[in-house]
Amino acid sequence: MLEGKNFVYLATVNPDGTPQVTPTWVDTDGKFILVNTAVGRVKHRNVKKNPNVANPYDLVVIRGKVVDQLTGHVAEEHIDKMSKKYRGIDKYPNRSPGEQRVILKIEPTRVISR
């Protein structure tokens, strides 16, 4: 599922304790779940304060913790990989000026399949 063209609804926790859910592209390195976002976006700010996340999709719920955040060249190359996977475009076209990408590396702690 993680290697397919599936979307993840990534749930993070806002500072006031309310949930924040964002549909996003997903990838895996075989052990960790990889979500690419931009530095400073809501999900990135939320996981910096509280690394607990949940990923419900296609009758599977994955819960885990963000264990690392990768920026720089590796994150820039990864968003292009995701653009190719999901849109068939070699370069991600939606970069904002000055945007810095970040990969949220999630270690699954619980997988629920229905």
Side-chain angles (χ1 to χ4, degrees):
M1 280 195 135
L2 296 174
E3 292 174 347
K5 201 172 178 179
N6 297 300
F7 291 89
V8 168
Y9 291 85
L10 181 68
T12 63
V13 181
N14 286 317
D16 66 0
T18 59
Q20 187 274 334
V21 179
T22 305
T24 188
W25 296 341
V26 66
D27 195 18
T28 182
D29 63 5
K31 180 178 178 184
F32 296 98
I33 298 164
L34 306 176
V35 172
N36 194 309
T37 188
V39 171
R41 288 203 180 145
V42 173
K43 62 182 161 270
H44 181 240
R45 289 192 316 261
N46 285 350
V47 300
K48 284 174 73 173
K49 293 180 181 182
N50 181 343
N52 294 299
V53 295
N55 299 332
Y57 62 97
D58 273 354
L59 302 175
V60 175
V61 176
I62 299 173
R63 294 185 185 191
K65 289 194 179 212
V66 175
V67 295
D68 200 3
Q69 298 181 35
L70 308 171
T71 57
H73 190 66
V74 67
E76 297 300 329
E77 286 180 352
H78 186 257
I79 193 60
D80 290 337
K81 176 185 173 187
M82 294 292 88
S83 179
K84 183 70 172 177
K85 175 180 173 179
Y86 284 90
R87 300 176 80 187
I89 301 170
D90 289 334
K91 290 283 186 188
Y92 180 65
N94 299 93
R95 286 182 172 92
S96 298
E99 178 177 87
Q100 181 184 4
R101 302 301 303 184
V102 58
I103 298 172
L104 305 177
K105 193 171 182 179
I106 303 164
E107 181 177 26
T109 56
R110 184 167 185 211
V111 177
I112 304 164
S113 180
R114 296 180 198 136

